[in-house]
Amino acid sequence: MDNPLENVKNNIAELTAAQRKVADYIIQHPSETAFLTVDQLAREVGTSTTTIMRLTFHLGYTGYSEFQKGMQGVLRNKAAPHTRLETNLQHMDDSDLWGHTVNRHVEQIENMRGLISTDYLDTVVDEVLDAGRIFCTSVRSGLPVGQYLTHGLNRTLGNTQLVIADMSDWIDEVIHMKASDVIIATSFPRYAQRIIDYVKEAKQRNVTVIAITDSYSAPIVEYADYILPCDSSSAAFHNSPVAAMIAADYIISAAAIRNSEKTRERLDEVNNILTNIQYHHNR
């Protein structure tokens, strides 16, 4: 029997916006989906039962019932780590905010690990290593991720720059972009329009787009070649970059290790300059 979760993820790009919203819920809540009726799922997602049925037909199932049986089979065969964590958190003392915060992020990271395979990430790293230029773009809550990626990749590759989409005058730059370039865009709710505008213009020039975002229903997904889903929810009101930072850290580490000889040469040169200008404090 095929894996319905993998089927959903592999066909994300072909779905309509309404179907992607359903797909995102299914991927984020596999245990709930396995036991919800089609009417209950429609209410949870805020869509129609017709949209859900069309999604299952598109994925090759005879209907929602067959799809759901496949989901139940997946859960029987393998209980995902994040499902166990969700169960444990239900019994947590809410007065322990520190423990709740730590557990929440562990859950998010485990969930992300289940959603993004090593092979998929390594394909993303291939695109990064083959890029002529890399543009990391983000705003506000996503900015720490963009800054971290820019610093790490530029130290390794020397071809990366940060574009703050709602401040930088990227319009003058985007007209010179080429198909050999790559954009790594971090986009969290409420999804800044300027990032979408930037990525959309870049796609018209055949630039490869890697999206780090919270869900498959995020607006940037429409223009992305690669999607790294990273839950950005927090215990309070803000978007948390913690899960996205893990994905960013992997990309930086893998790029440096797979390009180790050039990385070593660049780090030696950078260190020589820092030493010459006495950049670091001497105890």
Side-chain angles (χ1 to χ4, degrees):
M1 182 174 62
D2 70 337
N3 186 321
L5 278 177
E6 291 298 322
N7 197 357
V8 171
K9 287 187 282 185
N10 292 338
N11 288 277
I12 281 288
E14 302 172 8
L15 304 179
T16 65
Q19 290 171 349
R20 284 204 306 271
K21 188 176 179 181
V22 179
D24 180 61
Y25 183 90
I26 292 170
I27 292 168
Q28 298 291 341
H29 305 89
S31 58
E32 289 90 340
T33 303
F35 300 100
L36 290 174
T37 67
V38 66
D39 290 325
Q40 289 171 331
L41 179 58
R43 284 196 297 271
E44 287 291 330
V45 178
T47 189
S48 67
T49 56
T50 302
T51 296
I52 296 172
M53 295 303 295
R54 286 175 177 169
L55 169 62
T56 58
F57 294 152
H58 181 84
L59 295 175
Y61 301 96
T62 57
Y64 180 74
S65 179
E66 183 184 24
F67 172 81
Q68 190 177 51
K69 287 179 181 177
M71 290 290 295
Q72 292 170 356
V74 170
L75 292 179
R76 280 195 300 270
N77 294 333
K78 184 178 181 181
H82 73 273
T83 302
R84 297 194 298 270
L85 278 170
E86 287 174 359
T87 301
N88 292 334
L89 287 174
Q90 289 175 1
H91 300 92
M92 185 204 68
D93 181 0
D94 288 339
S95 64
D96 182 14
L97 181 58
W98 171 234
H100 176 73
T101 300
V102 172
N103 288 336
R104 185 187 193 93
H105 289 312
V106 171
E107 176 192 358
Q108 290 173 333
I109 293 165
E110 290 286 0
N111 187 35
M112 178 178 64
R113 187 180 183 185
L115 293 174
I116 309 173
S117 69
T118 302
D119 289 342
Y120 190 83
L121 267 176
D122 286 343
T123 301
V124 170
V125 174
D126 288 339
E127 295 287 353
V128 168
L129 290 174
D130 291 341
R133 295 177 300 169
I134 302 168
F135 300 89
C136 299
T137 186
S138 53
V139 300
R140 297 171 67 82
S141 59
L143 191 54
V145 183
Q147 291 171 323
Y148 188 61
L149 276 166
T150 301
H151 178 70
L153 291 177
N154 201 55
R155 291 197 73 183
T156 300
L157 306 173
N159 63 348
T160 308
Q161 69 182 70
L162 177 66
V163 177
I164 304 176
D166 59 2
M167 294 176 62
S168 302
D169 196 3
W170 53 260
I171 296 172
D172 292 324
E173 298 293 333
V174 75
I175 60 176
H176 299 296
M177 285 187 172
K178 301 177 181 178
S180 58
D181 295 332
V182 167
I183 287 180
I184 306 178
T186 303
S187 178
F188 296 143
R190 292 181 289 177
Y191 310 117
Q193 183 60 44
R194 287 294 172 266
I195 292 181
I196 309 304
D197 293 338
Y198 179 31
V199 169
K200 181 179 179 180
E201 290 296 329
K203 279 304 297 178
Q204 293 180 9
R205 289 156 180 81
N206 296 317
V207 173
T208 297
V209 176
I210 300 167
I212 299 175
T213 190
D214 68 306
S215 70
Y216 285 103
S217 59
I220 200 170
V221 166
E222 181 179 351
Y223 307 104
D225 298 284
Y226 300 93
I227 306 157
L228 302 180
C230 302
D231 188 351
S232 63
S233 63
S234 70
F237 64 92
H238 58 289
N239 286 316
S240 169
V242 172
M245 280 292 200
I246 300 297
D249 191 73
Y250 180 88
I251 293 171
I252 293 168
S253 298
I257 291 168
R258 288 169 55 180
N259 199 39
S260 59
E261 190 60 38
K262 290 184 179 179
T263 300
R264 193 177 296 111
E265 292 174 1
R266 281 187 57 81
L267 292 179
D268 284 343
E269 291 184 22
V270 170
N271 186 63
N272 288 337
I273 294 173
L274 293 174
T275 301
N276 291 337
I277 66 175
Q278 297 181 336
Y279 181 83
H280 296 110
H281 175 72
N282 292 319
R283 293 185 177 180

